[in-house]
């Protein structure tokens, strides 16, 4: 069981390190948003690994909160980027309407 926990922790640490690189280097806001969303998922997995190892359950509500924050953050960024693309496309198509259809 200890070997599995060590391997899981090592993989999660490597994933977190690579995600931090993507967060800093990512050329677009969508790359950074996806990296942040996956980093939240890695944090949820690491917390679950800690709960499985220690057997304490006080961290389980934190898993629910982290999963909810990750989902809300991803949806917020997706809505923000979709609205900004729609406004730019509307302005280019017909400058007289101001992007409204």
């Amino acid at each position: 069981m200890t070997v599995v926990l060590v391997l899981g922790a090592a993989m999660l640490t490597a994933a977190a390190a690579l995600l931090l690189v993507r967060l800093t280097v990512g050329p677009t806001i969508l790359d950074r948003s996806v990296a942040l969303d996956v980093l939240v998922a890695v944090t949820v997995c690491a917390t679950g690994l800690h709960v499985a190892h220690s057997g304490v359950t006080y961290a389980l509500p934190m898993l629910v909160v982290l999963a909810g924050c990750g989902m809300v953050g991803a949806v917020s960024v997706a809505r923000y980027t979709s609205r900004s693309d729609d406004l730019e496309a509307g302005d280019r198509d017909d400058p007289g309407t101001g992007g409204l259809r």
Side-chain angles (χ1 to χ4, degrees):
M1 182 71 170
T2 305
V3 174
V4 173
L5 290 172
V6 169
L7 284 175
M11 286 190 280
L12 289 173
T13 303
L18 291 171
L19 287 167
L20 287 174
V21 169
R22 175 49 62 191
L23 271 171
T24 56
V25 176
T28 65
I29 188 75
L30 292 176
D31 289 333
R32 290 183 173 104
S33 171
V34 169
L36 188 61
D37 191 36
V38 176
L39 189 61
V40 170
V42 167
T43 305
V44 168
C45 291
T47 306
L49 190 67
H50 171 68
V51 168
H53 174 65
S54 63
V56 295
T57 59
Y58 65 85
L60 292 176
M62 188 176 76
L63 292 174
V64 175
V65 170
L66 278 173
C69 288
M71 189 261 320
V72 168
V75 169
S76 299
V77 170
R79 286 184 57 101
Y80 171 74
T81 57
S82 69
R83 285 186 180 175
S84 65
D85 289 341
D86 287 343
L87 290 175
E88 291 173 6
D91 287 340
R92 280 179 277 165
D93 289 341
D94 188 14
T97 61
L100 300 174
R101 294 181 187 192

